[in-house]
Amino acid sequence: MTTTVLPTTTASPTSSMSTAQVGKDEKVRRDGFRINSMNMKDAKNGEILWESKFESERWFNRNGNQKEPEQDELTAHLPKDILQRQSITRQIHFSSNEEIKCLKLVQDVKLNGMTIEQWKFDFGFVVPHSTNAWEQTIASNGKTMDPTLLSGNVVFDTSFFDGDELIANTSMRIYYD
């Protein structure tokens, strides 16, 4: 299950980024960062395949430390045919009360607890008191595992950073229906 991220943003499979603990100075920035909603569309025809709104309080680990596995894990049910699409566009709608100099997202894709891919995306500067839409296009290499093997066994561990400083992180278990 390898993906290629197209030029909308950048991503590359690499070793894990440092997950520095968020200090007290970052508390205001961390608490002011919210994911409002997310959707996934077929990149070719724009068909919405999945969308969700999140309760920000449940979305992130707010104590500044990486979550322990399965701690406050979220779940998402995606249509199994999403795995057959040539490319998917993911749009994240987020808000920030504070300036973020260099917003980054690092996402570890885990199958049965083992990291099989890591994706890195750079957004850049975030204006204080703003609401933003961030779109990434992810293309398949055509080699996709059976959805019944993946369903419930894949977890996306997602961390948001300002440069190297952790803002928030979460884990989401994926079910393919």
Side-chain angles (χ1 to χ4, degrees), residues 5 9-18 105-107 118-122:
V5 177
T9 113
T10 59
S12 59
T14 60
S15 61
S16 294
M17 176 182 273
S18 166
L105 179 154
V106 176
Q107 198 160 48
Q118 184 180 72
W119 302 336
K120 293 184 178 185
F121 303 94
D122 295 312

Side-chain angles (χ1 to χ4, degrees), residues 119-166:
W119 302 336
K120 293 184 178 185
F121 303 94
D122 295 312
F123 182 83
F125 183 78
V126 177
V127 176
H129 304 289
S130 64
T131 297
N132 304 274
W134 185 6
E135 191 170 275
Q136 302 106 23
T137 300
I138 303 167
S140 170
N141 68 357
K143 299 176 185 175
T144 305
M145 295 176 69
D146 183 334
T148 58
L149 297 174
L150 296 173
S151 188
N153 296 315
V154 172
V155 174
F156 283 74
D157 287 335
T158 305
S159 298
F160 290 87
F161 294 86
D162 184 357
D164 290 333
E165 295 294 323
L166 180 66

Side-chain angles (χ1 to χ4, degrees), residues 60-78:
F60 291 130
N61 174 20
R62 293 287 179 186
N63 67 12
N65 297 316
Q66 289 291 337
K67 285 186 174 188
E68 294 298 320
E70 299 180 22
Q71 176 187 350
D72 298 325
E73 189 176 81
L74 300 174
T75 60
H77 291 264
L78 304 179

Side-chain angles (χ1 to χ4, degrees), residues 81-136:
D81 72 329
I82 200 168
L83 296 171
Q84 304 307 314
R85 306 295 172 122
Q86 289 182 342
S87 55
I88 300 297
T89 301
R90 172 178 64 185
Q91 189 172 70
I92 302 170
H93 294 264
F94 69 94
S95 301
S96 180
N97 291 335
E98 303 298 320
E99 173 183 298
I100 299 175
K101 292 182 175 135
C102 187
L103 180 63
K104 298 177 184 181
L105 179 154
V106 176
Q107 198 160 48
D108 290 320
V109 181
K110 295 182 178 181
L111 177 61
N112 295 320
M114 287 185 21
T115 300
I116 58 172
E117 290 184 277
Q118 184 180 72
W119 302 336
K120 293 184 178 185
F121 303 94
D122 295 312
F123 182 83
F125 183 78
V126 177
V127 176
H129 304 289
S130 64
T131 297
N132 304 274
W134 185 6
E135 191 170 275
Q136 302 106 23

Side-chain angles (χ1 to χ4, degrees), residues 28-44:
V28 172
R29 177 181 46 210
R30 182 181 71 230
D31 290 346
F33 183 76
R34 300 278 184 260
I35 299 296
N36 304 316
S37 65
M38 184 185 312
N39 68 50
M40 298 179 89
K41 299 184 251 181
D42 184 307
K44 207 175 229 183

